[in-house]
Amino acid sequence: MGRLCTVRDVDWSGKTALVRVDFNVPMQDGRVADDTRIRAALPTLQFLREKGAKIVLLSHLGRPDGKPAERYSLKPVAARTAELLGAEVRFATDCVGPPAEDAVSALGPGEVALLENVRFHAEEEANDSGFAGQLAGLADVFVNDAFGTAHRAHASTEGLAQYLPAVAGLLMEKEIVSLGSALEDPKHPFIGVVGGAKVSSKLAVLENLIDRVDRLLIGGGMANTFLSAQGFQVGKSLLEADLVETASELLQSGGKIVLPVDVVVTRDLTGNAMPRTCAVEEVGADEMIVDIGPRTMDAFKAEIATAGTVLWNGPMGIFEDPRFAAGTLSVARAMAESKATTVVGGGESVQAVEQAGLADKLTHVSTGGGASLEFIVAALKSDCM
Ligand code: ADP
Ligand code: MG
């Protein structure tokens, strides 16, 4: 990897930082329901405060479609940020124009302002350069700490970097270094664990990972397409028939792929039918696969226990239903107990790890959903890695 410029490389005295954060947090009844993303940004904010920078925070929240909407206001987020930071956070009712300019000019060294939802302007998602220029006019240096949105070309991400010197925040740095080093020079055995709903959404990742890993453990809905390629009947399970051929090709890559040998199946998802566990050869025509079975969990656990590096993306079953969460939890636990470098990325997988209270037992839990995946794919493809 080339050298990454970060907030550490800037002399902050007298400077204003425009920090793109990912404060797209879940809200409930006008309050922040989960402040994980705000807490993730604190190291950067504390660092900039200590260096005496004036700090201007910029984020999106939800999908307000380019116009102001009360329910997508970042105002409650300013209050929660102030509590977590133990310092005042001024709130500007617009991210450009007089409200933003006034809030910024009132800042002293080490002080913080949060600007209103950048997506209240259609120019944000259109990556309008005039709008990016207006935002850039508020500060001296652009700090990108929004890993989850960094792959999108919007005015507050790609656009700003055209106008201001751009550096990574500490969260972004951690993401890039952790994901990058796991892939650049992995300790072997390098085990990939991939699950989730569909092969199609992760085909690029599978194709890139297969050459790097020593073993690829596949579970979740996507395993069905591989099982079908092996000639098993998967009944009413989620299946991508058009990808069975691709799955066969992947299966020929040197015996690296490990598939479920047993599964949890059910006749309907409502709770009326009793789920049962069976071998993969015994799935009935009216049943659907909803989780990996205990023998598969043990096999996956054994692989993870002796790994040097484990990279996990995608749950092993429909874990949102506690009856079908055991496979996903067992992978999370195996990773937490393993001495390997353990990295998890992906919206639902990370949610599962957090629900299980195991996030701090892993080497790196990526805050990015789709971005982690795209980063992994990009990193695997780039020659400098
Ligand atoms: P991530 O966000 O971690 O990358 P995905 O978005 O690819 O993961 O997939 C997550 C979804 O996959 C979950 O909502 C889960 O319910 C679903 N899923 C997992 N296993 C199955 C299965 N056997 N059948 C249907 N859906 C599944
Ligand atoms: Mg997802």
Side-chain angles (χ1 to χ4, degrees):
M1 275 195 298
R3 205 177 98 69
L4 179 72
C5 295
T6 75
V7 283
R8 299 178 218 275
D9 299 308
V10 179
D11 173 8
W12 286 106
S13 59
K15 292 209 180 72
T16 302
L18 185 54
V19 189
R20 177 58 161 100
V21 286
D22 181 2
F23 282 178
N24 183 30
V25 295
M27 303 287 291
Q28 206 164 22
D29 307 323
R31 316 197 85 226
V32 175
D34 178 347
D35 60 12
T36 306
R37 288 183 170 170
I38 305 175
R39 284 187 282 106
L42 293 179
T44 300
L45 305 187
Q46 255 134 11
F47 179 90
L48 290 169
R49 272 164 57 73
E50 279 160 27
K51 298 292 172 188
K54 299 177 182 176
I55 303 157
V56 184
L57 305 177
L58 188 62
S59 180
H60 75 282
L61 176 65
R63 299 183 178 276
D65 289 331
K67 48 188 185 303
E70 175 81 39
R71 59 187 281 242
Y72 294 119
S73 175
L74 281 167
K75 193 161 187 208
V77 177
R80 186 74 191 115
T81 308
E83 276 169 35
L84 290 168
L85 203 57
E88 190 193 347
V89 174
R90 277 168 217 278
F91 180 70
T93 55
D94 197 350
C95 64
V96 288
E101 288 153 17
D102 293 350
V104 174
S105 59
L107 288 178
E111 291 182 353
V112 185
L114 173 64
L115 309 181
E116 182 57 286
N117 195 341
V118 68
R119 285 198 189 162
F120 283 2
H121 295 265
E123 292 89 341
E124 159 66 356
E125 292 188 68
N127 196 5
D128 180 270
S129 68
F131 180 69
Q134 263 185 294
L135 291 170
L138 298 168
D140 305 303
V141 179
F142 170 42
V143 177
N144 196 339
D145 217 14
F147 182 72
T149 48
H151 62 298
R152 296 198 188 110
H154 291 169
S156 69
T157 54
E158 200 265 344
L160 271 173
Q162 308 294 321
Y163 284 90
L164 290 175
V167 298
L170 299 178
L171 173 62
M172 178 79 94
E173 177 190 45
K174 188 166 173 272
E175 295 276 11
I176 292 175
V177 169
S178 306
L179 291 175
S181 66
L183 297 165
E184 195 175 17
D185 186 19
K187 265 180 280 162
H188 290 273
F190 179 13
I191 308 292
V193 187
V194 185
K198 290 179 170 178
V199 177
S200 53
S201 65
K202 289 175 185 174
L203 198 54
V205 176
L206 288 168
E207 285 174 342
N208 282 291
L209 267 183
I210 194 81
D211 295 331
R212 299 256 166 170
V213 295
D214 300 298
R215 284 245 187 290
L216 191 57
L217 318 181
I218 299 184
M222 73 154 64
N224 306 338
T225 302
F226 286 88
L227 290 171
S228 173
Q230 283 191 324
F232 294 111
Q233 301 301 318
V234 296
K236 287 195 298 174
S237 304
L238 184 70
L239 173 72
E240 288 170 289
D242 54 331
L243 287 174
V244 171
E245 192 57 43
T246 310
S248 302
E249 283 160 25
L250 282 164
L251 282 168
Q252 271 141 42
S253 356
K256 287 180 176 177
I257 293 181
V258 184
L259 290 174
V261 291
D262 61 345
V263 286
V264 176
V265 295
T266 183
R267 266 180 280 109
D268 72 77
L269 293 171
T270 58
N272 295 329
M274 265 307 260
R276 68 179 189 107
T277 299
C278 67
V280 287
E281 2 338 45
E282 292 162 353
V283 178
D286 61 344
E287 290 177 317
M288 64 187 106
I289 300 172
V290 288
D291 198 5
I292 56 173
R295 283 198 290 136
T296 306
M297 288 182 221
D298 286 346
F300 284 12
K301 215 168 127 182
E303 294 282 355
I304 293 167
T306 56
T309 307
V310 188
L311 176 68
W312 178 29
N313 170 258
M316 297 289 104
I318 307 180
F319 77 100
E320 292 89 343
D321 184 327
R323 295 175 301 157
F324 314 135
T328 301
L329 286 174
S330 85
V331 166
R333 269 190 227 108
M335 285 183 71
E337 285 161 14
S338 171
K339 288 194 193 69
T341 301
T342 47
V343 180
V344 57
E348 268 82 26
S349 330
V350 168
Q351 194 191 323
V353 166
E354 271 163 4
Q355 276 172 13
L358 295 170
D360 60 353
K361 299 248 169 22
L362 304 191
T363 313
H364 186 65
V365 177
S366 179
T367 52
S372 330
L373 276 183
E374 292 190 31
F375 176 79
I376 291 166
V377 172
L380 290 169
K381 277 187 183 148
S382 80
D383 289 333
C384 64
M385 291 291 292

